[in-house]
Amino acid sequence: MANTQDPQGNYDPAGSTQMFRAFVDESPQTQQQTAASSGPRIGLILGVVAAVAIVAAVAWLALK
């Protein structure tokens, strides 16, 4: 990392302030992307649950 100064003029040898600000600025986008991608994930979970229920019903009928 490059040696940087924050806006107040304090020396930041590791550049961690800049990295922290990039992380903070990126967080709302990450949360929005997670919320947007939860729709397909819910459909996948429901599909798997339905498939397991169908397999269980077929197995129950076969063993009955």
Side-chain angles (χ1 to χ4, degrees):
M1 291 286 153
N3 295 339
T4 60
Q5 284 189 336
D6 65 8
Q8 288 80 26
N10 297 325
Y11 181 68
D12 187 10
S16 59
T17 302
Q18 183 179 9
M19 291 169 46
F20 175 74
R21 288 196 176 137
F23 172 76
V24 170
D25 290 342
E26 188 176 302
S27 292
Q29 291 178 343
T30 304
Q31 291 172 354
Q32 289 173 355
Q33 290 172 353
T34 302
S37 67
S38 66
R41 187 176 302 160
I42 291 172
L44 178 64
I45 291 171
L46 291 177
V48 169
V49 170
V52 170
I54 291 170
V55 169
V58 169
W60 180 74
L61 288 173
L63 296 174
K64 187 174 177 185

Coordinates of all heavy atoms in Angstrom, one line a residue:
M1 N 0.8 -1.2 0.0 CA 0.0 0.0 0.0 C 0.9 1.3 0.0 O 2.0 1.3 0.6 CB -0.9 0.0 1.3 CG -2.0 -1.0 1.3 SD -3.2 -0.6 0.1 CE -3.9 -2.2 -0.2
A2 N 0.4 2.3 -0.5 CA 1.1 3.5 -0.6 C 0.9 4.3 0.7 O -0.1 4.2 1.4 CB 0.7 4.4 -1.8
N3 N 1.9 5.1 1.1 CA 1.8 6.0 2.2 C 0.8 7.1 1.8 O 1.0 7.8 0.8 CB 3.1 6.6 2.7 CG 4.0 5.5 3.1 OD1 3.6 4.4 3.5 ND2 5.3 5.7 3.1
T4 N -0.2 7.3 2.6 CA -1.2 8.3 2.3 C -1.5 9.2 3.5 O -1.1 9.0 4.6 CB -2.6 7.6 1.9 OG1 -3.0 6.9 3.0 CG2 -2.4 6.7 0.7
Q5 N -2.2 10.3 3.2 CA -2.7 11.2 4.2 C -4.2 11.3 4.1 O -4.7 11.3 3.0 CB -2.1 12.6 4.0 CG -0.6 12.7 4.5 CD -0.2 14.2 4.5 OE1 -0.8 15.0 3.8 NE2 0.8 14.5 5.2
D6 N -4.8 11.3 5.3 CA -6.3 11.5 5.2 C -6.6 12.9 5.1 O -5.7 13.8 5.1 CB -6.9 10.8 6.5 CG -6.6 11.5 7.8 OD1 -5.9 12.6 7.8 OD2 -6.9 11.0 8.8
P7 N -7.9 13.3 4.9 CA -8.3 14.7 4.6 C -7.8 15.7 5.8 O -7.6 16.8 5.5 CB -9.8 14.7 4.5 CG -10.1 13.3 4.0 CD -9.0 12.4 4.7
Q8 N -7.7 15.2 7.0 CA -7.3 16.0 8.1 C -5.8 16.3 8.1 O -5.3 17.0 8.9 CB -7.7 15.5 9.4 CG -9.2 15.5 9.7 CD -10.0 14.4 9.0 OE1 -9.5 13.4 8.7 NE2 -11.2 14.7 8.7
G9 N -5.0 15.6 7.2 CA -3.6 15.8 7.1 C -2.8 14.8 8.0 O -1.6 14.9 8.1
N10 N -3.5 13.8 8.6 CA -2.8 12.8 9.4 C -2.1 11.8 8.5 O -2.7 11.3 7.6 CB -3.7 12.1 10.4 CG -4.3 13.1 11.4 OD1 -3.7 14.1 11.8 ND2 -5.6 12.9 11.8
Y11 N -0.9 11.4 8.9 CA -0.1 10.4 8.1 C -0.7 9.0 8.4 O -0.9 8.6 9.5 CB 1.3 10.5 8.6 CG 2.2 9.6 7.8 CD1 2.5 9.8 6.5 CD2 2.8 8.5 8.5 CE1 3.3 8.9 5.8 CE2 3.7 7.7 7.8 CZ 3.9 7.9 6.4 OH 4.8 7.0 5.7
D12 N -0.9 8.3 7.3 CA -1.5 7.0 7.4 C -0.6 6.0 6.6 O -0.7 5.8 5.4 CB -2.9 6.9 6.8 CG -3.6 5.6 7.0 OD1 -3.1 4.8 7.8 OD2 -4.7 5.4 6.4
P13 N 0.4 5.4 7.3 CA 1.5 4.7 6.6 C 0.9 3.4 5.9 O 1.5 3.0 4.8 CB 2.5 4.3 7.7 CG 1.7 4.3 8.9 CD 0.7 5.4 8.7
A14 N -0.1 2.8 6.3 CA -0.6 1.6 5.7 C -1.7 1.9 4.7 O -2.2 1.0 4.0 CB -1.2 0.6 6.8
G15 N -2.2 3.1 4.7 CA -3.3 3.4 3.8 C -4.7 2.8 4.2 O -5.6 2.6 3.5
S16 N -4.8 2.5 5.5 CA -5.9 1.8 6.0 C -7.2 2.6 6.0 O -8.3 2.1 5.9 CB -5.7 1.2 7.4 OG -5.4 2.2 8.3
T17 N -7.0 3.9 6.2 CA -8.2 4.8 6.1 C -8.8 4.8 4.8 O -10.0 4.7 4.6 CB -7.7 6.3 6.5 OG1 -7.1 6.3 7.8 CG2 -8.9 7.2 6.5
Q18 N -8.0 4.8 3.7 CA -8.5 4.8 2.4 C -9.2 3.4 2.1 O -10.3 3.4 1.5 CB -7.4 5.0 1.4 CG -7.8 5.0 -0.1 CD -6.7 5.2 -1.0 OE1 -5.5 5.2 -0.6 NE2 -7.0 5.4 -2.3
M19 N -8.6 2.3 2.6 CA -9.2 1.0 2.4 C -10.6 0.9 3.2 O -11.5 0.4 2.7 CB -8.3 -0.1 2.9 CG -7.1 -0.2 2.0 SD -5.8 -1.3 2.7 CE -6.7 -2.7 3.3
F20 N -10.6 1.5 4.4 CA -11.8 1.5 5.2 C -12.9 2.3 4.5 O -14.1 1.8 4.4 CB -11.6 2.1 6.6 CG -12.8 2.2 7.4 CD1 -13.4 1.1 8.0 CD2 -13.4 3.5 7.6 CE1 -14.6 1.2 8.7 CE2 -14.6 3.6 8.3 CZ -15.2 2.5 8.9
R21 N -12.6 3.4 4.0 CA -13.6 4.3 3.3 C -14.1 3.6 2.0 O -15.3 3.6 1.7 CB -13.0 5.6 2.9 CG -12.8 6.5 4.2 CD -12.6 7.9 3.8 NE -12.6 8.7 5.1 CZ -11.7 9.6 5.3 NH1 -10.9 10.0 4.4 NH2 -11.7 10.3 6.5
A22 N -13.3 2.9 1.3 CA -13.7 2.1 0.2 C -14.7 1.0 0.6 O -15.7 0.7 -0.1 CB -12.5 1.5 -0.6
F23 N -14.4 0.4 1.7 CA -15.3 -0.7 2.2 C -16.6 -0.1 2.7 O -17.6 -0.7 2.3 CB -14.6 -1.4 3.5 CG -15.5 -2.3 4.2 CD1 -15.8 -3.6 3.6 CD2 -16.1 -2.0 5.4 CE1 -16.6 -4.4 4.3 CE2 -16.9 -2.8 6.0 CZ -17.2 -4.1 5.5
V24 N -16.6 1.0 3.4 CA -17.8 1.6 3.8 C -18.7 2.1 2.6 O -19.9 1.9 2.6 CB -17.5 2.8 4.8 CG1 -18.8 3.6 5.0 CG2 -16.9 2.3 6.1
D25 N -18.0 2.7 1.6 CA -18.8 3.1 0.4 C -19.3 2.0 -0.4 O -20.3 2.1 -1.0 CB -17.8 4.0 -0.5 CG -17.5 5.3 0.1 OD1 -18.2 5.7 1.1 OD2 -16.5 5.9 -0.3
E26 N -18.7 0.8 -0.3 CA -19.1 -0.4 -1.1 C -20.3 -1.1 -0.4 O -21.0 -1.8 -1.0 CB -17.9 -1.3 -1.3 CG -18.2 -2.4 -2.2 CD -16.9 -3.2 -2.5 OE1 -15.9 -2.7 -2.9 OE2 -17.0 -4.4 -2.2
S27 N -20.4 -1.0 0.9 CA -21.3 -1.8 1.7 C -22.8 -1.7 1.2 O -23.5 -2.7 1.1 CB -21.2 -1.5 3.2 OG -20.0 -2.0 3.7
P28 N -23.3 -0.5 1.0 CA -24.7 -0.4 0.6 C -25.0 -1.2 -0.8 O -26.0 -1.8 -0.9 CB -25.0 1.1 0.4 CG -24.0 1.7 1.3 CD -22.8 0.8 1.3
Q29 N -24.0 -1.1 -1.7 CA -24.2 -1.9 -2.9 C -24.3 -3.3 -2.7 O -25.1 -4.0 -3.3 CB -23.0 -1.5 -3.9 CG -23.0 -0.1 -4.4 CD -21.8 0.1 -5.3 OE1 -20.8 -0.6 -5.2 NE2 -21.8 1.2 -6.0
T30 N -23.4 -3.9 -1.8 CA -23.4 -5.3 -1.5 C -24.7 -5.7 -0.9 O -25.3 -6.7 -1.3 CB -22.2 -5.6 -0.5 OG1 -21.0 -5.1 -1.1 CG2 -22.2 -7.1 -0.3
Q31 N -25.3 -4.9 0.0 CA -26.6 -5.3 0.6 C -27.7 -5.2 -0.5 O -28.6 -6.1 -0.4 CB -26.9 -4.3 1.7 CG -26.0 -4.4 2.9 CD -26.2 -3.4 3.9 OE1 -26.9 -2.4 3.7 NE2 -25.5 -3.5 5.1
Q32 N -27.6 -4.3 -1.4 CA -28.7 -4.3 -2.4 C -28.5 -5.5 -3.4 O -29.5 -6.1 -3.8 CB -28.5 -3.0 -3.2 CG -28.9 -1.7 -2.5 CD -28.6 -0.5 -3.2 OE1 -28.0 -0.5 -4.3 NE2 -29.0 0.7 -2.7
Q33 N -27.3 -5.9 -3.7 CA -27.1 -7.0 -4.5 C -27.6 -8.3 -3.9 O -28.2 -9.2 -4.5 CB -25.7 -7.2 -4.9 CG -25.2 -6.1 -5.9 CD -23.7 -6.1 -6.1 OE1 -23.0 -6.9 -5.4 NE2 -23.2 -5.3 -7.0
T34 N -27.4 -8.4 -2.6 CA -27.8 -9.6 -1.8 C -29.4 -9.6 -1.8 O -29.9 -10.7 -2.0 CB -27.3 -9.5 -0.4 OG1 -25.9 -9.5 -0.4 CG2 -27.7 -10.7 0.4
A35 N -30.0 -8.5 -1.6 CA -31.5 -8.5 -1.6 C -32.0 -8.8 -3.0 O -33.0 -9.5 -3.1 CB -32.0 -7.1 -1.2
A36 N -31.4 -8.4 -4.0 CA -31.9 -8.7 -5.4 C -31.7 -10.1 -5.7 O -32.5 -10.7 -6.4 CB -31.1 -7.8 -6.4
S37 N -30.6 -10.8 -5.2 CA -30.4 -12.2 -5.6 C -31.1 -13.1 -4.7 O -31.0 -14.3 -4.9 CB -28.9 -12.4 -5.5 OG -28.4 -12.4 -4.2
S38 N -31.8 -12.7 -3.7 CA -32.5 -13.6 -2.8 C -33.7 -14.2 -3.5 O -34.2 -15.2 -3.1 CB -32.9 -12.9 -1.5 OG -33.8 -11.9 -1.7
G39 N -34.3 -13.5 -4.5 CA -35.5 -14.0 -5.2 C -35.2 -15.4 -5.8 O -35.9 -16.4 -5.6
P40 N -34.2 -15.5 -6.7 CA -33.9 -16.8 -7.3 C -33.5 -17.9 -6.3 O -33.8 -19.0 -6.4 CB -32.7 -16.5 -8.2 CG -32.8 -15.1 -8.5 CD -33.4 -14.4 -7.3
R41 N -32.9 -17.5 -5.2 CA -32.5 -18.4 -4.2 C -33.7 -19.0 -3.5 O -33.7 -20.2 -3.2 CB -31.6 -17.7 -3.1 CG -31.0 -18.7 -2.1 CD -30.0 -18.0 -1.2 NE -28.9 -17.3 -2.0 CZ -28.2 -16.3 -1.5 NH1 -28.4 -15.9 -0.3 NH2 -27.3 -15.8 -2.2
I42 N -34.7 -18.2 -3.2 CA -35.9 -18.7 -2.6 C -36.6 -19.7 -3.5 O -37.1 -20.8 -3.1 CB -36.9 -17.5 -2.2 CG1 -36.3 -16.7 -1.1 CG2 -38.3 -18.0 -1.9 CD1 -37.0 -15.4 -0.8
G43 N -36.6 -19.4 -4.8 CA -37.2 -20.3 -5.8 C -36.5 -21.7 -5.8 O -37.1 -22.7 -5.9
L44 N -35.1 -21.6 -5.7 CA -34.3 -22.8 -5.7 C -34.6 -23.7 -4.5 O -34.8 -24.9 -4.6 CB -32.8 -22.5 -5.8 CG -31.9 -23.6 -5.7 CD1 -32.1 -24.5 -7.0 CD2 -30.5 -23.1 -5.6
I45 N -34.7 -23.0 -3.3 CA -35.0 -23.7 -2.1 C -36.4 -24.4 -2.1 O -36.5 -25.5 -1.8 CB -34.9 -22.7 -0.9 CG1 -33.4 -22.3 -0.7 CG2 -35.4 -23.4 0.4 CD1 -33.2 -21.2 0.3
L46 N -37.4 -23.6 -2.6 CA -38.7 -24.2 -2.8 C -38.7 -25.4 -3.7 O -39.4 -26.4 -3.5 CB -39.7 -23.1 -3.2 CG -40.0 -22.1 -2.2 CD1 -40.9 -21.0 -2.7 CD2 -40.6 -22.7 -0.9
G47 N -38.0 -25.3 -4.8 CA -37.9 -26.4 -5.8 C -37.3 -27.6 -5.2 O -37.7 -28.8 -5.4
V48 N -36.2 -27.5 -4.4 CA -35.6 -28.6 -3.7 C -36.5 -29.2 -2.7 O -36.6 -30.4 -2.6 CB -34.2 -28.2 -3.0 CG1 -33.7 -29.2 -2.1 CG2 -33.2 -27.8 -4.1
V49 N -37.2 -28.4 -1.9 CA -38.2 -28.9 -0.9 C -39.3 -29.7 -1.6 O -39.7 -30.8 -1.2 CB -38.7 -27.8 -0.1 CG1 -39.9 -28.2 0.8 CG2 -37.7 -27.2 0.8
A50 N -39.8 -29.2 -2.7 CA -40.8 -29.9 -3.5 C -40.3 -31.2 -4.1 O -41.0 -32.2 -4.0 CB -41.3 -29.0 -4.6
A51 N -39.1 -31.2 -4.6 CA -38.5 -32.5 -5.1 C -38.3 -33.5 -4.0 O -38.7 -34.7 -4.2 CB -37.2 -32.2 -5.7
V52 N -37.9 -33.1 -2.8 CA -37.7 -34.0 -1.7 C -39.1 -34.6 -1.3 O -39.3 -35.8 -1.0 CB -37.0 -33.4 -0.5 CG1 -37.1 -34.2 0.7 CG2 -35.6 -33.1 -0.9
A53 N -40.1 -33.7 -1.3 CA -41.5 -34.1 -0.9 C -42.0 -35.1 -1.9 O -42.6 -36.1 -1.5 CB -42.4 -32.9 -0.8
I54 N -41.8 -34.9 -3.2 CA -42.3 -35.9 -4.2 C -41.5 -37.2 -4.1 O -42.2 -38.3 -4.1 CB -42.0 -35.2 -5.6 CG1 -43.0 -34.1 -5.8 CG2 -42.2 -36.3 -6.7 CD1 -42.7 -33.2 -7.0
V55 N -40.2 -37.2 -3.9 CA -39.5 -38.4 -3.7 C -40.0 -39.2 -2.5 O -40.1 -40.4 -2.5 CB -38.0 -38.1 -3.7 CG1 -37.2 -39.4 -3.2 CG2 -37.5 -37.6 -5.0
A56 N -40.2 -38.4 -1.4 CA -40.7 -39.1 -0.2 C -42.1 -39.7 -0.4 O -42.4 -40.8 0.1 CB -40.7 -38.1 1.0
A57 N -43.0 -39.0 -1.1 CA -44.3 -39.5 -1.4 C -44.2 -40.8 -2.3 O -44.9 -41.8 -2.0 CB -45.1 -38.4 -2.1
V58 N -43.4 -40.8 -3.3 CA -43.2 -41.9 -4.1 C -42.7 -43.1 -3.3 O -43.1 -44.3 -3.5 CB -42.3 -41.6 -5.4 CG1 -42.0 -42.9 -6.1 CG2 -43.0 -40.6 -6.3
A59 N -41.7 -42.9 -2.5 CA -41.1 -43.9 -1.7 C -42.1 -44.5 -0.7 O -42.2 -45.7 -0.5 CB -39.9 -43.4 -0.9
W60 N -42.9 -43.6 -0.1 CA -44.0 -44.1 0.8 C -45.0 -44.9 0.1 O -45.4 -46.0 0.6 CB -44.6 -42.8 1.5 CG -45.7 -43.2 2.4 CD1 -45.5 -43.7 3.7 CD2 -47.1 -43.0 2.2 NE1 -46.8 -43.9 4.3 CE2 -47.8 -43.5 3.4 CE3 -47.9 -42.6 1.2 CZ2 -49.1 -43.5 3.6 CZ3 -49.3 -42.6 1.3 CH2 -49.9 -43.1 2.5
L61 N -45.4 -44.5 -1.1 CA -46.4 -45.3 -1.9 C -45.8 -46.6 -2.3 O -46.5 -47.7 -2.3 CB -46.9 -44.5 -3.1 CG -47.8 -43.3 -2.8 CD1 -48.1 -42.5 -4.1 CD2 -49.1 -43.8 -2.2
A62 N -44.5 -46.7 -2.6 CA -43.9 -47.9 -3.1 C -43.7 -48.9 -1.9 O -43.8 -50.1 -2.1 CB -42.5 -47.6 -3.7
L63 N -43.5 -48.4 -0.7 CA -43.3 -49.3 0.4 C -44.7 -49.6 1.1 O -44.7 -50.5 2.0 CB -42.4 -48.6 1.5 CG -41.0 -48.4 1.0 CD1 -40.2 -47.6 2.0 CD2 -40.3 -49.7 0.6
K64 N -45.7 -49.0 0.7 CA -47.0 -49.2 1.4 C -47.6 -50.5 1.0 O -47.5 -51.1 0.0 CB -48.0 -48.1 1.0 CG -49.3 -48.1 1.8 CD -50.1 -46.9 1.5 CE -51.4 -47.0 2.2 NZ -52.3 -45.9 1.9

